[in-house]
Amino acid sequence: MLVAIIIVLGVLAALVGVAVLAKRPPPCVATHEEFAKAIEDFLEATGGDHDWDDFLHWRIADPFLESVRKKCGDIYEEYPATEKGHYCSDEGTEVLRGLLKEVRAKASLAK
């Protein structure tokens, strides 16, 4: 009896997992320049209130840009803010600027 319950619970858990993954939005298709603009807008504080949060949470179809997006999302933990209300430390901001340059350099090679 206990084995049957465990099997049923396992099947239900698998079905829930599949349902959650099926509802996951497809990766966003973005150009290198659009991607770079999102980072630049954040650094220059010219983006909208939720732009950076959206940027960090939408998967990107391009593998290179997706890896950079993940790095951007990790910066606040790797370089914690030293001032209240900031995303990261000054060193983290420089890392973001470096990632921006890397994306722009790759964009210019693609032209």
Side-chain angles (χ1 to χ4, degrees):
M1 180 69 164
L2 182 60
V3 173
I5 292 172
I6 291 172
I7 290 171
V8 168
L9 290 175
V11 169
L12 287 174
L15 290 173
V16 168
V18 168
V20 168
L21 289 177
K23 291 185 181 231
R24 189 173 178 189
C28 177
V29 177
T31 67
H32 285 71
E33 199 50 47
E34 290 168 333
F35 191 88
K37 180 79 169 108
I39 298 171
E40 182 179 59
D41 286 349
F42 175 73
L43 288 169
E44 304 302 323
T46 56
D49 290 343
H50 302 287
D51 288 355
W52 187 246
D53 189 52
D54 291 345
F55 171 81
L56 293 178
H57 290 94
W58 281 95
R59 294 178 302 135
I60 306 295
D62 180 281
F64 167 71
L65 295 179
E66 176 63 6
S67 72
V68 172
R69 183 192 67 81
K70 288 179 180 178
K71 289 177 188 176
C72 289
D74 292 339
I75 285 177
Y76 81 99
E77 289 180 347
E78 293 177 24
Y79 303 94
T82 54
E83 296 179 46
K84 188 175 181 174
H86 287 225
Y87 179 70
C88 59
S89 67
D90 290 343
E91 187 178 1
T93 299
E94 290 309 310
V95 171
L96 282 171
R97 290 190 194 288
L99 292 170
L100 173 60
K101 287 179 186 175
E102 195 176 327
V103 171
R104 287 241 162 96
K106 189 136 179 147
S108 68
L109 291 175
K111 290 181 181 179

